[in-house]
Amino acid sequence: MSGSRKLDHAAVPSGAELPPGAGGRARSALTMASVLLGYLIVPMAMSGTSIALPRIAADLGGSGGALQWVVTGYFLAASCLMLIAGSLGDLFGRRRIFAVGAVLYVVSTAAAAFAPHVLVLDAARTLSGVGAAGVMAGGGAILGSTFEGPARTRAFAMVGTSVGVGLAFGPTFAGWLVSALGWRAMFGAFAGAGLLLVAGTLVLRESSAEHRPKFDLPGTVAFVLAIVGLMYGTNQVASAGWTSLRVLGFLGAGLLMLVVFVALERRTEHPVLDLALLRGGPFAGWLLAALTTAVGTVGVLVYLPTYLQGAGDFSAGDAGTLMLAMTLPVLAVPPLAGKLVNQGVPARLLIALAVALIAGGNAWMTVLAPDSGAVQLVGPLLLIGVGNGLSAALVDAQAMEHVPPDRIGMASGLLNTARGGANALVLAVFGAALISLMQSEVGGREQAGKVAAGNLDGGSRAFLAEQYTEAWHVVLWTVTALCVLSGLVIHRLVGTTARSTARPAEAAVPDEG
């Protein structure tokens, strides 16, 4: 894989390096703006929609499971299909997949705004997730095939900032719309932003793999079934427990299909995932860095506000304000990290620093107690946020330096699938771990679930808060240890970066497609 690195017919250098006839800086700027818009609105729709669930329940009714699928269906579809969308882009055109994803996102999100029933809303949101997969995987592949060297580093640093803005401010933006205009207006706003995304596809250049092999349908089916089984099974742990037959059944089926997937990919001539990407090289190291970032950040980001309001004395507004210490660095740090890399600071050193900051932030967060104030917690939150920002700037850009041109879409899809899947799994496991650690002390799994959700009624509040805090400490130390161990492996894997062959600067001008 890494030896021969011929350019595909559409690999293009950065705007500053493009020949005048190729459109120059203006074309590159328009490409960047179009892709970044996708990386803004897709994460925003992921993090913001949960705000609308109470209003949706009041208008459409539906059981808790049906309502939760408004969020889960979107996330699950996007996570399952990003790898598939990336590989399809290599085969049939990266712009085409990006455009199809954008159109599907707009149509299905508009349908969600007019949904007459919660099941119709669930179906529309799941289709929106399919469209989001095309936008995310296609967008990353377009940037990877359009920009080179320092320009690519800057491009993916801006991607990190866009994703950070979307995730951080999605709940705020959605909450304002839902409060002022209703949940249908929220989906309408997302659909309207998607129309701009569709218009932006008109300026994108087409690119694809030089040779167009057959589509790996068996591998695709096995991969989707594996991800669905693993993610659904893990998501049931909090309510059913690790020993539930339902949980074990889905997890077992997911693992089985994952084994089947690997076996199929090893035997097919044109796999949906080339396993050579994962064989201990730099790309595998950067992929592990993406997974480690999710492990070290998502649990604190999502569950800490609940603790602060349930066991502590924070209001919802105060908790949200404090969490800015973790989210704002994701906006400011990526451009700085990209500049440092372009000025010669080794990316290997920066990713080691990122993982160390995330691990240190989780360890420091063990000062957490019911009486903790903002002064005690802002430090660890800043460490985690800065580490997350560094990682967001580095991972995709550096990983793409070790991918042959014919596999750029596949690599982009794999990175996004790994990141999205890890986020979902960490959310489920983090919550399940808190419940499991408390259940024997607080009177059973049901009561532990209430405490983990911030409801400390039904017993001595001080005692429940103490058990809740002890569970948090155990989970935080576990996350710290995992990050430290993973950081050592990452440092070793990406150590071959300096010896790897960069893509040549020469490139043919792409199709106007």
Side-chain angles (χ1 to χ4, degrees):
M1 286 286 300
S2 59
S4 174
R5 303 192 65 190
K6 295 191 301 180
L7 284 172
D8 64 311
H9 68 274
V12 194
S14 71
E17 300 159 354
L18 282 169
R25 297 186 180 215
R27 188 65 174 267
S28 290
L30 289 172
T31 296
M32 174 64 69
S34 299
V35 173
L36 289 182
L37 178 61
Y39 275 101
L40 176 68
I41 64 173
V42 167
M44 188 173 284
M46 284 182 177
S47 65
T49 303
S50 59
I51 296 293
L53 291 183
R55 292 287 191 92
I56 293 171
D59 287 352
L60 301 182
S63 66
L67 283 171
Q68 193 59 41
W69 198 254
V70 175
V71 176
T72 304
Y74 181 92
F75 208 100
L76 187 60
S79 299
C80 285
L81 296 177
M82 282 182 189
L83 173 61
I84 312 304
S87 293
L88 287 173
D90 288 337
L91 298 182
F92 303 112
R94 293 150 190 159
R95 186 186 78 166
R96 181 172 289 113
I97 293 301
F98 184 89
V100 169
V103 170
L104 182 58
Y105 176 87
V106 170
V107 172
S108 54
T109 303
F114 294 97
H117 190 276
V118 67
L119 295 181
V120 176
L121 179 59
D122 288 343
R125 286 286 293 164
T126 301
L127 287 176
S128 295
V130 176
V135 170
M136 295 285 279
I142 289 168
L143 294 183
S145 62
T146 300
F147 296 94
E148 291 282 340
R152 178 188 287 163
T153 301
R154 290 191 296 270
F156 280 104
M158 294 175 70
V159 165
T161 298
S162 297
V163 172
V165 170
L167 290 174
F169 293 100
T172 301
F173 176 70
W176 176 78
L177 280 173
V178 171
S179 298
L181 302 172
W183 63 270
R184 295 185 187 274
M186 178 195 70
F187 287 124
F190 286 139
L195 286 175
L196 296 176
L197 193 62
V198 173
T201 63
L202 299 176
V203 305
L204 302 178
R205 294 183 177 276
E206 186 59 281
S207 67
S208 63
E210 185 176 359
H211 303 290
R212 184 174 295 178
K214 294 180 180 179
F215 179 60
D216 178 19
L217 181 59
T220 297
V221 172
F223 180 79
V224 170
L225 292 176
I227 296 297
V228 169
L230 291 173
M231 291 184 67
Y232 186 82
T234 306
N235 277 310
Q236 299 302 304
V237 171
S239 59
W242 291 102
T243 58
S244 163
L245 291 179
R246 182 169 76 251
V247 170
L248 294 176
F250 275 100
L251 291 178
L255 289 172
L256 176 61
M257 292 311 302
L258 191 59
V259 171
V260 171
F261 171 71
V262 171
L264 289 171
E265 300 308 276
R266 294 180 64 180
R267 288 169 172 77
T268 185
E269 185 177 355
H270 306 294
V272 70
L273 173 61
D274 190 337
L275 298 178
L277 288 172
L278 305 178
R279 288 174 187 161
F283 180 86
W286 291 108
L287 180 65
L288 181 58
L291 296 173
T292 304
T293 302
V295 170
T297 60
V298 173
V300 172
L301 179 64
V302 173
Y303 287 101
L304 182 60
T306 301
Y307 175 92
L308 295 174
Q309 295 172 74
D313 296 323
F314 282 70
S315 67
D318 290 340
T321 301
L322 176 61
M323 295 308 294
L324 290 175
M326 182 175 172
T327 56
L328 287 179
V330 183
L331 315 183
V333 171
L336 175 61
K339 184 176 182 179
L340 290 174
V341 171
N342 287 338
Q343 290 180 345
V345 178
R348 182 189 189 191
L349 175 62
L350 290 176
I351 195 61
L353 175 61
V355 175
L357 288 173
I358 292 171
N362 277 274
W364 190 359
M365 186 61 70
T366 56
V367 300
L368 186 67
D371 60 352
S372 295
V375 174
Q376 289 87 2
L377 300 179
V378 69
L381 288 173
L382 279 172
L383 283 192
I384 297 172
V386 172
N388 190 18
L390 283 172
S391 178
L394 296 169
V395 169
D396 293 77
Q398 296 301 316
M400 292 299 183
E401 291 294 328
H402 306 282
V403 178
D406 284 2
R407 293 290 185 264
I408 283 179
M410 177 188 294
S412 174
L414 179 59
L415 285 167
N416 282 296
T417 294
R419 192 178 284 116
N423 286 339
L425 292 176
V426 169
L427 284 178
V429 172
F430 199 102
L434 291 175
I435 292 171
S436 297
L437 288 166
M438 289 189 289
Q439 64 179 5
S440 63
E441 302 293 334
V442 302
R445 190 167 197 87
E446 182 178 354
Q447 178 64 17
K450 291 180 179 178
V451 174
N455 181 0
L456 274 65
D457 297 330
S460 168
R461 179 180 173 83
F463 173 75
L464 294 177
E466 178 185 358
Q467 298 304 314
Y468 195 8
T469 303
E470 289 182 2
W472 257 92
H473 288 178
V474 172
V475 173
L476 287 169
W477 282 119
T478 302
V479 169
T480 300
L482 289 174
C483 289
V484 170
L485 292 174
S486 183
L488 296 174
V489 177
I490 292 167
H491 190 262
R492 181 178 181 84
L493 288 174
V494 303
T496 56
T497 298
R499 297 190 296 273
S500 62
T501 304
R503 251 194 279 173
E506 301 81 27
V509 177
D511 299 339
E512 291 291 339

